[in-house]
Amino acid sequence: MSASAALAEELPLEVAIKATYLYKFAPFVQWPDEAFPTPTAPLRLCVLGNGPVDKVLDEVVAGQRVGQRSISVQRFRNARAAAGCHIVYVAGTNDGFVAATLAGLHGTPVLTVTDLPADARAHGVINFVIVGNHVRFDIDDTAASSNRLVISSKLLRLAHAVKPRP
Amino acid sequence: MAMPNILARWKMAPTLTLVGAAILLSAGIATALYQENLYSAQKVREVTVQAQILAASVTAALDFNDNVAAQEYVNALKANPEMQAAGVYNADGLPVASYVREGRTRLPAKVRSPATSVEGNQLVVSVPVAHDGAVLGTVYVRSNIDTFERRLTRYGVIALLAGMAALLLTVLGTSQAALTRANRALEARAGELADANLRLYAEMEEREKAEDALRQSQKMEAIGQLSGGIAHDFNNLLTVIRGNLQLLERRIGQGQTDVKRYVDAAVEALKRAATLTQRVLAFSRRQPLSPRPVNLNRLVEDMNELLRHSVGETIKLETRLTADWWIYCDANQMENVLLNLVINARDAMPRGGTLTVATENAHIGALAGDATGMPEGDYVRLSVRDTGVGMSEAVRSKAIDPFFTTKPQGEGTGLGLSMTFGYVSQSNGYLDIDSKLGQGTIVTILMPRYDSESAALRA
């Protein structure tokens, strides 16, 4: 198999995993009370920008629930529009775009997830990272606390790197 | 009767103890089993909880496919020495993390949950890993529920209980056997004792018969002693009778009718002979010992005739009877005693002399008691004194020994004084011989006073 073909085959697995993680993070995150109007209100999983994860997200999320909540996937173009989401996946590798988006969502009860290399200008509360052959993630608990989010220690323990909250 | 009750209860004791031991043993075993059950249930709970804790811990790891994290949680169970194996399986049933102690067991390839089972002394628990209603995988745990020490202790305790019960039974059995043996030995002993007792009675009877025979022979001997004198007296009486009849014959032949005085004399002599005969017969009659109150003075006076005949004409017989107290004795034996002493006295005076028989009241005080060895009290003293040849100290000290006699062979058995001494002692009396060679002998007998009033009180 050619390298590109192999890469093309691997990519979907990594992408699928990242997509599943997006909603799998939800049970380990505690939003402030006003984030959910009712106990059965759906979990809003929003995507800003384009990327491979976005393409498989609908498939992966189909039929899944987070506790009692269903998952609704939405796509937006800017941060302001995504203000009511619970999880926002900022797709793309455009450093500047991501940084601006994150700044716009800072302080709102949103779990921001990014997929950027370590030396990027800004990262979300959770940032995917590949460790060995596995999809892992780094957690910025300081940012989480700024967004009034409480992240379960179970998730923190699994994180590759944690920036602890102050 | 207290004895049979105690014996009956004692017989029940072994049964009761057995029953008690059986109850204790059953109770002990029941308690042990109950404890075991409790322990097992508790152990199952514990292991299940451990599995559940592991399941809760690995939810995130399973969620995010973090096998390393899952393995960390599984490794934490290593610390529990009873944990034999543990494994975490993902939603597809494949193990993602595992631990097996010393390779003794293997993790199963597929696990169904929830499940609990006991295999031998191991408990197997599998628990689903779920988060928010979604099943992420399964946790499998295999643990020892019975450590070697616990099993040892349990069996040891039961063995101890059984051993104690066995020991108790053995002790009971042995003690019962010993008791039965002891009982039988006792019965045998009692039988022997009863036999010995019977033999003793038989011997006592024999002894009494022998004593009776001896007394009788003594009497006969005394009579034998007498018979010489009595025959002599009889002879005299017969001579008197013959003489008077001869005179009677002559006077009638001469035609005289004044013959009454010859007939009277003969009849008188006859009467005296008859009396003498009767006395001897009465004396010689075999009679059993029968003590009764006796007036010694009267006894001596009644025997006066007999005594005079026994001492003969060469010896002067004096009586000084001042005692008015009574004694308690067998009258016949006392007569025997007196006759015996008188005959001894006579024999000591071959050339004649004086024989004195005296009775008097006497009181033995504490001091005199020491000398005689008699308890303080009132006595009647009977003494027979002669003025005969006397005895040396050596002879005197042996005088009352049986078969001791100074008479030549064939004359006298030597039993008289010993029998006298025996009879006096038996009657709680006292006998003493005082003698000086060439001067004479005095034999003193002390018999306790018979006081009818105090005897009635004592009775």
Side-chain angles (χ1 to χ4, degrees), chain A residues 21 24 27 136 154-155 157-158, chain B residues 56 60 63-64 69 72-73:
Chain A
Y21 280 15
K24 281 198 170 185
R136 295 279 176 262
K154 284 192 200 166
L155 196 63
R157 282 204 58 186
L158 288 181
Chain B
D63 248 342
F64 295 98
E72 279 176 15
Y73 285 114

Side-chain angles (χ1 to χ4, degrees), chain B residues 118-178:
Chain B
V118 176
E119 294 161 27
N121 73 329
Q122 293 191 329
L123 177 65
V124 172
V125 173
S126 51
V127 153
V129 182
H131 196 210
D132 268 345
V135 175
L136 303 167
T138 313
V139 160
Y140 169 94
V141 155
R142 176 191 283 266
S143 168
N144 274 345
I145 53 174
D146 222 348
T147 62
F148 185 62
E149 290 98 13
R150 264 206 67 89
R151 241 182 308 158
L152 201 65
T153 316
R154 184 173 63 211
Y155 292 148
V157 165
I158 292 186
L160 192 71
L161 275 176
M164 281 173 64
L167 191 70
L168 189 67
L169 282 171
T170 315
V171 166
L172 266 177
T174 332
S175 69
Q176 264 297 87

Side-chain angles (χ1 to χ4, degrees), chain A residues 72-150:
Chain A
S72 94
V73 177
Q74 290 168 302
R75 289 163 180 82
F76 295 110
R77 293 212 168 270
N78 56 55
R80 219 162 3 140
C85 296
H86 300 110
I87 304 178
V88 170
Y89 176 61
V90 186
T93 51
N94 188 330
D95 217 6
F97 171 72
V98 172
T101 311
L102 289 176
L105 291 172
H106 185 81
T108 61
V110 174
L111 180 74
T112 53
V113 182
T114 54
D115 194 2
L116 294 171
D119 57 0
R121 208 182 317 166
H123 301 95
V125 173
I126 297 180
N127 186 57
F128 285 123
V129 64
I130 299 295
V131 176
N133 223 12
H134 294 101
V135 176
R136 295 279 176 262
F137 40 86
D138 294 340
I139 298 183
D140 185 347
D141 208 17
T142 311
S145 88
S146 305
N147 288 4
R148 293 187 287 138
L149 300 176
V150 177

